[in-house]
Amino acid sequence: MAAPDLRLSLLSSEFVISAGSVLFKIADGQIFACLLHQPAKDEWVLPKGRKDAGESVDIAAVRETYEETGYNCELFPVTMPTRAPVPGSLLGNVTRTVIDCTEPIAITIRSTGGVTKLTFWYITRLKEIVKREGTQMENEAFQSYFWPKDEALKKLTFEDDRNVLARAFELILLPNLHPVSSAYGPAELFSPLVPTDLEWTCAGGFATETQTFYQILDDGRFMMCQIIHSSTGLWYPTVQFTFKLYNPSTKETIWRSTTVNNFVTPPPGQDKRSCKSDSFSVVYRPTSSDATHSENYMITAKLSDDISILLTVSRPNDASGVKIGKSPHGGFTYFGTNKDKADGYVVHRFWPQTKVTGHLTLGTPGSAASGGTAHIEEFRGHGMLVHAIQGMRPNLVASRWNF
């Protein structure tokens, strides 16, 4: 509901500026807010108090919260809509969303006895868990307690305080991304792959799975082959094969991306590290005649009438495939407030070093007399393989994408 139009002039003797905060802590994956109980009146309120002369409003909010609760605290930055302009912005008086904002989240206005009280509300968090005694003024007799959201909202005596607290809980976000790098110590970061790590999962729901072969050829060109398996809710999954060959010297780019039909994994006689469609096949081979590069992938693809490829991507024996983390959950970053019941995930597995050999056929087949223009380019190079799964909606794992 929009605020009513209001024009009001008050002299300095007719108003008082107060500041308060919603002080919170996180424990056992849950947010708790600090409330004050005043036994003499049996009232439950949020910490607040008058701003001192010469004191800034935000400093007053932190000071009053500390004095009344006994907990040392600091402003907590949140992502929030505000009309406070960003320095240097040319936008007018409009609402914008600001990241890491410590502006007031609300103002309450009360007029009693001819004096108007304006209270600016902030969000604060604990700096230390120890509660200090003797911080209150002589005429104050508050008891401070932390309560979870629902109980805190029920206990508060005044509706204004309940509105402020509800808004604070909307803005305080529990950590909802649990990166794989934070789950393991330095000695556990790198773990060798097991055979199932490179298998296609073809997950349903909202999931995108990719197998990407990045290569730098000996002549300096960059080559990429990527298979993308995309599931979007109730729709039947789509599969694309994307090929790019870029020459940094001439700036010439060859790019093909085609949606394929009849994708299958595993193909007959293979395991799920292999896949095929009407226009390409990727076959995992655990052994080879090269004693220094035992396992490899053979990739064949007809990308269009004028481009086809045949290449072998091999992993050196002394450069094992890796993932982050030494457990069945290695490689997984989880999305959601509870990673044990995650709303989504992202996982990556790598061959950090590869060797590539093969050839690229460019042009239309046939003899020159019949108009054929095909020629074959042999190539060698080195690179890496990344098998990745994005098991969530794309807007949840990143605020924006730059391809």
Side-chain angles (χ1 to χ4, degrees), residues 342-353:
D343 298 319
Y345 65 91
V346 176
V347 60
H348 292 81
R349 282 79 179 251
F350 305 91
W351 279 4
Q353 293 184 34

PDB file of all heavy atoms in Angstrom, residues 342-353:
ATOM      1  N   ALA A 342      19.275 -29.907  -0.181  1.00  0.00           N
ATOM      2  CA  ALA A 342      19.550 -28.777  -1.063  1.00  0.00           C
ATOM      3  C   ALA A 342      18.449 -28.595  -2.103  1.00  0.00           C
ATOM      4  O   ALA A 342      17.822 -29.557  -2.556  1.00  0.00           O
ATOM      5  CB  ALA A 342      20.895 -28.969  -1.760  1.00  0.00           C
ATOM      6  N   ASP A 343      18.238 -27.332  -2.467  1.00  0.00           N
ATOM      7  CA  ASP A 343      17.302 -27.003  -3.535  1.00  0.00           C
ATOM      8  C   ASP A 343      17.921 -27.186  -4.913  1.00  0.00           C
ATOM      9  O   ASP A 343      17.210 -27.243  -5.916  1.00  0.00           O
ATOM     10  CB  ASP A 343      16.822 -25.558  -3.387  1.00  0.00           C
ATOM     11  CG  ASP A 343      16.079 -25.329  -2.081  1.00  0.00           C
ATOM     12  OD1 ASP A 343      15.286 -26.206  -1.707  1.00  0.00           O
ATOM     13  OD2 ASP A 343      16.307 -24.287  -1.443  1.00  0.00           O
ATOM     14  N   GLY A 344      19.230 -27.243  -4.973  1.00  0.00           N
ATOM     15  CA  GLY A 344      19.918 -27.419  -6.243  1.00  0.00           C
ATOM     16  C   GLY A 344      21.396 -27.624  -6.006  1.00  0.00           C
ATOM     17  O   GLY A 344      21.893 -27.586  -4.878  1.00  0.00           O
ATOM     18  N   TYR A 345      22.121 -27.829  -7.078  1.00  0.00           N
ATOM     19  CA  TYR A 345      23.556 -28.096  -6.954  1.00  0.00           C
ATOM     20  C   TYR A 345      24.262 -27.753  -8.261  1.00  0.00           C
ATOM     21  O   TYR A 345      23.639 -27.641  -9.327  1.00  0.00           O
ATOM     22  CB  TYR A 345      23.806 -29.573  -6.597  1.00  0.00           C
ATOM     23  CG  TYR A 345      23.366 -30.532  -7.693  1.00  0.00           C
ATOM     24  CD1 TYR A 345      24.253 -30.942  -8.695  1.00  0.00           C
ATOM     25  CD2 TYR A 345      22.059 -31.005  -7.738  1.00  0.00           C
ATOM     26  CE1 TYR A 345      23.846 -31.794  -9.695  1.00  0.00           C
ATOM     27  CE2 TYR A 345      21.638 -31.853  -8.741  1.00  0.00           C
ATOM     28  CZ  TYR A 345      22.535 -32.255  -9.729  1.00  0.00           C
ATOM     29  OH  TYR A 345      22.126 -33.078 -10.738  1.00  0.00           O
ATOM     30  N   VAL A 346      25.565 -27.601  -8.154  1.00  0.00           N
ATOM     31  CA  VAL A 346      26.451 -27.485  -9.313  1.00  0.00           C
ATOM     32  C   VAL A 346      27.635 -28.396  -9.040  1.00  0.00           C
ATOM     33  O   VAL A 346      28.152 -28.423  -7.919  1.00  0.00           O
ATOM     34  CB  VAL A 346      26.938 -26.033  -9.518  1.00  0.00           C
ATOM     35  CG1 VAL A 346      27.939 -25.969 -10.658  1.00  0.00           C
ATOM     36  CG2 VAL A 346      25.768 -25.107  -9.793  1.00  0.00           C
ATOM     37  N   VAL A 347      28.057 -29.173 -10.040  1.00  0.00           N
ATOM     38  CA  VAL A 347      29.173 -30.089  -9.844  1.00  0.00           C
ATOM     39  C   VAL A 347      30.090 -30.035 -11.067  1.00  0.00           C
ATOM     40  O   VAL A 347      29.621 -29.894 -12.202  1.00  0.00           O
ATOM     41  CB  VAL A 347      28.669 -31.535  -9.595  1.00  0.00           C
ATOM     42  CG1 VAL A 347      27.848 -32.047 -10.765  1.00  0.00           C
ATOM     43  CG2 VAL A 347      29.839 -32.470  -9.315  1.00  0.00           C
ATOM     44  N   HIS A 348      31.397 -30.112 -10.807  1.00  0.00           N
ATOM     45  CA  HIS A 348      32.393 -30.097 -11.872  1.00  0.00           C
ATOM     46  C   HIS A 348      33.395 -31.228 -11.663  1.00  0.00           C
ATOM     47  O   HIS A 348      33.847 -31.461 -10.541  1.00  0.00           O
ATOM     48  CB  HIS A 348      33.157 -28.766 -11.906  1.00  0.00           C
ATOM     49  CG  HIS A 348      32.323 -27.592 -12.311  1.00  0.00           C
ATOM     50  ND1 HIS A 348      31.483 -26.936 -11.436  1.00  0.00           N
ATOM     51  CD2 HIS A 348      32.190 -26.960 -13.503  1.00  0.00           C
ATOM     52  CE1 HIS A 348      30.872 -25.948 -12.068  1.00  0.00           C
ATOM     53  NE2 HIS A 348      31.282 -25.941 -13.319  1.00  0.00           N
ATOM     54  N   ARG A 349      33.754 -31.889 -12.760  1.00  0.00           N
ATOM     55  CA  ARG A 349      34.827 -32.886 -12.770  1.00  0.00           C
ATOM     56  C   ARG A 349      35.754 -32.567 -13.941  1.00  0.00           C
ATOM     57  O   ARG A 349      35.288 -32.088 -14.984  1.00  0.00           O
ATOM     58  CB  ARG A 349      34.267 -34.300 -12.931  1.00  0.00           C
ATOM     59  CG  ARG A 349      33.670 -34.917 -11.641  1.00  0.00           C
ATOM     60  CD  ARG A 349      32.294 -34.400 -11.348  1.00  0.00           C
ATOM     61  NE  ARG A 349      31.720 -35.004 -10.141  1.00  0.00           N
ATOM     62  CZ  ARG A 349      30.727 -35.883 -10.167  1.00  0.00           C
ATOM     63  NH1 ARG A 349      30.217 -36.275 -11.320  1.00  0.00           N
ATOM     64  NH2 ARG A 349      30.253 -36.361  -9.035  1.00  0.00           N
ATOM     65  N   PHE A 350      37.047 -32.869 -13.778  1.00  0.00           N
ATOM     66  CA  PHE A 350      38.038 -32.384 -14.740  1.00  0.00           C
ATOM     67  C   PHE A 350      39.025 -33.470 -15.168  1.00  0.00           C
ATOM     68  O   PHE A 350      39.420 -34.316 -14.359  1.00  0.00           O
ATOM     69  CB  PHE A 350      38.868 -31.240 -14.127  1.00  0.00           C
ATOM     70  CG  PHE A 350      38.070 -30.095 -13.595  1.00  0.00           C
ATOM     71  CD1 PHE A 350      37.655 -30.083 -12.270  1.00  0.00           C
ATOM     72  CD2 PHE A 350      37.726 -29.026 -14.406  1.00  0.00           C
ATOM     73  CE1 PHE A 350      36.928 -29.028 -11.756  1.00  0.00           C
ATOM     74  CE2 PHE A 350      36.991 -27.967 -13.907  1.00  0.00           C
ATOM     75  CZ  PHE A 350      36.587 -27.966 -12.584  1.00  0.00           C
ATOM     76  N   TRP A 351      39.411 -33.416 -16.426  1.00  0.00           N
ATOM     77  CA  TRP A 351      40.720 -33.871 -16.881  1.00  0.00           C
ATOM     78  C   TRP A 351      41.518 -32.583 -17.073  1.00  0.00           C
ATOM     79  O   TRP A 351      41.338 -31.884 -18.071  1.00  0.00           O
ATOM     80  CB  TRP A 351      40.621 -34.614 -18.200  1.00  0.00           C
ATOM     81  CG  TRP A 351      40.199 -36.049 -18.083  1.00  0.00           C
ATOM     82  CD1 TRP A 351      39.824 -36.713 -16.964  1.00  0.00           C
ATOM     83  CD2 TRP A 351      40.116 -36.987 -19.168  1.00  0.00           C
ATOM     84  NE1 TRP A 351      39.502 -38.011 -17.254  1.00  0.00           N
ATOM     85  CE2 TRP A 351      39.673 -38.212 -18.602  1.00  0.00           C
ATOM     86  CE3 TRP A 351      40.361 -36.925 -20.527  1.00  0.00           C
ATOM     87  CZ2 TRP A 351      39.471 -39.362 -19.376  1.00  0.00           C
ATOM     88  CZ3 TRP A 351      40.165 -38.059 -21.304  1.00  0.00           C
ATOM     89  CH2 TRP A 351      39.735 -39.268 -20.734  1.00  0.00           C
ATOM     90  N   PRO A 352      42.391 -32.232 -16.161  1.00  0.00           N
ATOM     91  CA  PRO A 352      43.051 -30.919 -16.257  1.00  0.00           C
ATOM     92  C   PRO A 352      44.065 -30.806 -17.386  1.00  0.00           C
ATOM     93  O   PRO A 352      44.415 -29.704 -17.782  1.00  0.00           O
ATOM     94  CB  PRO A 352      43.723 -30.770 -14.889  1.00  0.00           C
ATOM     95  CG  PRO A 352      43.909 -32.168 -14.398  1.00  0.00           C
ATOM     96  CD  PRO A 352      42.764 -32.954 -14.928  1.00  0.00           C
ATOM     97  N   GLN A 353      44.526 -31.940 -17.889  1.00  0.00           N
ATOM     98  CA  GLN A 353      45.453 -31.932 -19.026  1.00  0.00           C
ATOM     99  C   GLN A 353      45.008 -32.986 -20.025  1.00  0.00           C
ATOM    100  O   GLN A 353      44.677 -34.114 -19.645  1.00  0.00           O
ATOM    101  CB  GLN A 353      46.886 -32.224 -18.584  1.00  0.00           C
ATOM    102  CG  GLN A 353      47.518 -31.159 -17.715  1.00  0.00           C
ATOM    103  CD  GLN A 353      48.959 -31.479 -17.396  1.00  0.00           C
ATOM    104  OE1 GLN A 353      49.683 -32.059 -18.210  1.00  0.00           O
ATOM    105  NE2 GLN A 353      49.391 -31.095 -16.204  1.00  0.00           N
TER     106      GLN A 353
END
